[in-house]
Amino acid sequence: MVQARKSRTKSFGILTAGGDCPGLNAAIRGVCMAAAGRYGMKIIGIMNGFKGFLDESYRTLAPADYCGILTHGGTILGASREKPFDSVEKPGKIADDKVRIICEAYRKLELDCLVALGGNGTNTTASKLAREGLNVIGLPKTIDNDIVGTDLTFGFDSALSVGTDAIDRLCTTAQSHNRIIVIELMGNKAGWLALYAGVAGGGDIILIPEIPYDLKAIGRHLQRRAAAGKTFSVVVAAEGAMSVEEAQMEKKERKKYRKENGPSTAYRIAREINEQTGLETRATVLGYMQRGGTPSASDRLLATALGTAAADLLARGEYGRMVSVTGSGIGSVDLSVPEGKKRTVPADNQMLDTALAVETCLGVDF
């Protein structure tokens, strides 16, 4: 029997929160196998995100729980969008002080640390819990790839593959019927997924939240394509894509406008294009298809590497950190780095220039 290495952490809790995404189970497996096998730690699985603390839904995890889950989609721990700090920041909304309950449960379970796998909201909650005195380590997961402090998140590559495949399929339909098809991908504040899938799938127009689109510029691009004998086009739009006019609206006004002109971004843009150009236009919303299913090989590798790196942080007692991808290696940043922020596509991103170089319209005249 191999003797366990020394570890400052003897027992820790682990949870997954926010939306599901491919690679969560791979990350859970990476953390648990390294923590238990290499360091001899005890693992407590917290069910359904932070809600598990409130419901007292947790149990000790054994190898049988986390071995063999590398290729599985979803999460064996369940997830929820419970935001415990709402009870503190919005007094009167909820009677119970959820943060207090979580802290008490953490101490009752005699945890040395909590490992939280999630996106922006989860890592923000993790950072706030760290300020409450808990030892917390975060892992960045999201198909949106928009977490500040890491160059890449697991889940993104799998969603990119699904989005690219969908664009490929829609191209043949658009060509067969001489139509314009608008496909909506996830990305409310950041356009990484739409941009990368759009370039990979050969989208003719790519619309992302960072670049408010000009409908007249889109119309001119489509008319130029039609004049050149290109009788079909595929428009790839992030769910948060907005027009120049919308970008000038106040948040409440924009929300009202979208509600009245729904049911979603793709349908709104399809209607606008049809009205502007008279060209037959259809819309498709890929939706939760992007978040489900088996993780790609790349996401399995990344999730496993981040998970084992988290186990090493636990062993060294380096708490209050989020494991991250920095350049070509795995490192970590302080949990305060991603708190309350979104990593958006910068104006000088190489993929934007790549798109323009292959005559893709980004919704405005460059």
Side-chain angles (χ1 to χ4, degrees), residues 300-338:
R300 296 179 201 183
L301 291 169
L302 179 59
T304 301
L306 291 173
T308 56
D312 292 338
L313 289 177
L314 287 166
R316 295 194 297 268
E318 295 182 15
Y319 308 129
R321 310 289 294 177
M322 182 187 76
V323 187
S324 64
V325 180
T326 53
S328 60
I330 303 294
S332 69
V333 297
D334 192 276
L335 266 175
S336 63
V337 171

Side-chain angles (χ1 to χ4, degrees), residues 47-70:
M47 304 305 296
N48 303 318
F50 296 102
K51 190 172 183 290
F53 281 116
L54 307 177
D55 297 339
E56 298 186 1
S57 180
Y58 31 72
R59 62 187 176 87
T60 301
L61 297 183
D65 294 307
Y66 50 77
C67 290
I69 64 172
L70 175 66

Side-chain angles (χ1 to χ4, degrees), residues 174-175 178-182 204-205 221-222 225 230-235:
Q175 185 175 23
N178 298 318
R179 287 175 178 163
I180 297 168
I181 294 183
V182 182
D204 304 298
I205 297 173
H221 183 78
L222 293 172
R225 282 180 56 81
K230 300 173 182 178
T231 58
F232 73 97
S233 295
V234 172
V235 180

Side-chain angles (χ1 to χ4, degrees), residues 90-136:
K90 298 177 182 178
K93 181 180 179 182
I94 301 172
D96 295 329
D97 182 351
K98 296 181 179 181
V99 175
R100 174 182 56 79
I101 295 172
I102 289 174
C103 292
E104 289 176 354
Y106 173 97
R107 296 185 177 97
K108 178 182 177 182
L109 291 169
E110 299 181 333
L111 302 179
D112 295 316
C113 185
L114 172 66
V115 176
L117 286 68
N120 301 90
T122 300
N123 281 284
T124 292
T125 297
S127 180
K128 291 179 178 180
L129 286 174
R131 290 203 296 274
E132 293 292 322
L134 305 190
N135 295 325
V136 191

Side-chain angles (χ1 to χ4, degrees), residues 16 33 220 260 273 279 283 305 314:
T16 55
M33 290 190 71
R220 286 192 291 271
E260 294 173 347
I273 289 174
L279 299 171
L314 287 166

